[in-house]
Amino acid sequence: MGSSANRRSPLFGSVAFSLMSYVFIFLMISFILTCSIMLFLQGAPLPEEFIRRRAPRTFANIFILSFMFTIITMTIKYVAFDRPMNKIALTARQIASGNFSARVHPDRGNPAVRQLVDFQDVLNEIACQIQSVEGLQEEFLSNVSHEMKTPLAVIKNYTSLLRQPNLAESDKEAYCAVIESQVQNLSSLVTNVLKLNKLENQRVCPEYEIFDFGELMCEVVLSFEHLWEEKDIDLQVNIQQELLVRSDRTFLMLVCSNLVSNALKFTPPGGKVWVSCQQNGAIVDLRVQDTGCGMGEETGRHIFEKFYQGDTSHQSLGNGLGLALVKRIIDVLGGEISVSSTLGQGSTFSVRLDCQLEQKVDGVEELPLSGALLESDC
C-alpha cells in the first residue's frame, strides 16, 4: 500500500506541476495579448458585433498557444532536469541498498544538462570511494583471518602433542617454545592492527617536542644488539650527534624500530647493514640499507600496503603490517619514505622529515598517546 502511494506521488506531482504551468502560461499570454491589442487599437472605432465574433477565436488561439508553450516547457524540463535527476535518484537508491557498483551515465553530449553532469560525476566518485572502502574492508578482514589462522593451527597441533603420555622433557620444552613463539606472533599482529587502526582513523595526533634524534637512533640500534651479534652482521652506523629535531618521539621510535628490525631480520648471517642519520638544513635524512634478500619491482610497488608480503618464504618473519604502519606515520608527520631494492642484493629505505625547531602546529588537537602505540615489538 505504501509503495504504491509512493509511486503515485511523483506522477501526481508531475501532473499538478503541468497544470500549474499551463494556467500560468495561459494567464501570461492572455495578459500580454490583451495589453498589446488595447494599445494597438486605442481610439479605433470597432463595432461591438466585430468584437463578439473575434473574441472566441482569439480565446481559442490563446488556448492553443498556451498548450504549445506548456508542451515545449515540460519537454525542456524533462530533458534538462527530470530525466537526469531520475537517473541520480535511481543510482542513489541502488547505492543506499548496498549496490556500490551502481553508476550514473551522464549525457555529456546534451548541452541542456551540462550543469547536472558535474553533480552526476560527484555521485559516481562517491560511489567509487564507497566501493573502494568496502573492498578494502573485505580484503582487510580476509587478510587478518588468514594471518590468525596459521598460528592458531600451529598452537592447536602442538597442544595436542603436549598431551601425549611419556613425552620427553626436552620435547615439552621445544613444543612450548613453538607455542610461545606463535602466541607472540598473534600478539604482535593484533597490536599492529590496533596501531594502524588508530592512525588511519586519526584517533591519535602527533605530540611535538624537541629531542635528540641521534640519541633516539642509538637507542633503537642498541635495542637490537642481540640480533646482529647472533647473526654476526656487520653493522655500520653513521649518526649525527646532537641532532635536535621537533617531532613526535614515539612515532619516530616506531619508524626507526621497524626499519632497523626489518633490515636485521632479512639480512642473512654474515651480511651487512648500514644505518645513516644526517641533517641537511631543516630536513632530516634517515637511510637504512642492508644486504638481505631484496625485492623485485612488483614487490617494491606494494611493499607499504597492509599485509603485503611479496616473498612468501619469509612470512614467518612478519605479518606485513610493519611497513604499512611506518608509511602511515610518515604521512601523519608530513614526511616522505621511499625504497630502492635489487632482488638478491638488498634494499635501502630512505626517510625525509621536516623537523625544524621553529615548526608550529596550529589548529591541531594533540591527544596524549600514553604509550599506546609502543606497547609491543614492532
Side-chain angles (χ1 to χ4, degrees), residues 62-275:
I62 294 175
F63 183 87
I64 294 173
L65 285 174
S66 300
F67 182 77
M68 292 175 60
F69 278 119
T70 301
I71 294 297
I72 295 173
T73 302
M74 296 307 298
T75 302
I76 294 175
K77 173 179 174 291
Y78 174 77
V79 173
F81 184 80
D82 288 347
R83 187 167 62 182
M85 287 304 297
N86 288 337
K87 290 181 180 180
I88 293 173
L90 177 61
T91 304
R93 282 194 293 268
Q94 291 176 341
I95 294 173
S97 64
N99 181 16
F100 302 124
S101 62
R103 298 289 184 272
V104 185
H105 300 288
D107 187 6
R108 301 184 185 277
N110 188 353
V113 299
R114 186 175 302 166
Q115 295 180 346
L116 288 175
V117 169
D118 291 340
F119 183 61
Q120 293 172 332
D121 289 338
V122 170
L123 181 61
N124 286 337
E125 185 177 350
I126 292 174
C128 288
Q129 293 292 334
I130 296 176
Q131 187 178 21
S132 176
V133 170
E134 185 74 10
L136 289 175
Q137 183 179 4
E138 293 178 358
E139 181 183 2
F140 180 79
L141 292 175
S142 175
N143 287 329
V144 170
S145 302
H146 175 74
E147 292 293 334
M148 295 183 69
K149 183 178 179 181
T150 301
L152 287 175
V154 174
I155 292 173
K156 179 182 178 181
N157 292 336
Y158 278 88
T159 303
S160 301
L161 292 175
L162 283 173
R163 290 178 178 160
Q164 292 180 353
N166 303 323
L167 189 64
E169 193 65 28
S170 59
D171 291 337
K172 288 182 180 180
E173 292 182 0
Y175 296 162
C176 288
V178 173
I179 293 175
E180 183 179 3
S181 173
Q182 295 303 317
V183 170
Q184 181 62 36
N185 289 339
L186 277 176
S187 176
S188 176
L189 171 64
V190 173
T191 301
N192 283 332
V193 167
L194 293 176
K195 292 176 185 176
L196 201 54
N197 182 62
K198 288 180 180 180
L199 285 170
E200 290 186 340
N201 290 295
Q202 297 181 347
R203 290 167 54 189
V204 291
C205 296
E207 282 193 331
Y208 289 93
E209 59 178 308
I210 297 176
F211 61 93
D212 190 338
F213 188 50
E215 180 181 340
L216 173 67
M217 280 300 305
C218 291
E219 292 178 8
V220 171
V221 171
L222 289 175
S223 66
F224 294 101
E225 182 178 4
H226 65 285
L227 186 56
W228 88 64
E229 288 185 349
E230 178 183 337
K231 300 178 69 174
D232 192 26
I233 292 176
D234 182 10
L235 181 63
Q236 302 290 328
V237 178
N238 182 18
I239 299 176
Q240 180 177 330
Q241 299 299 313
E242 297 183 359
L243 180 52
L244 295 180
V245 298
R246 187 178 189 276
S247 189
D248 188 292
R249 182 182 178 88
T250 304
F251 280 0
L252 289 184
M253 175 73 78
L254 274 169
V255 170
C256 299
S257 297
N258 270 283
L259 295 180
V260 175
S261 173
N262 284 345
L264 294 173
K265 284 191 297 185
F266 290 99
T267 299
K272 291 184 178 181
V273 172
W274 294 267
V275 177

Side-chain angles (χ1 to χ4, degrees), residues 53 113 178 204 254 302 311 323 326-327 334 351 365:
R53 285 199 315 269
V113 299
V178 173
V204 291
L254 274 169
H302 302 280
D311 187 358
L323 290 177
V326 168
K327 180 66 167 63
V351 176
E365 181 183 357

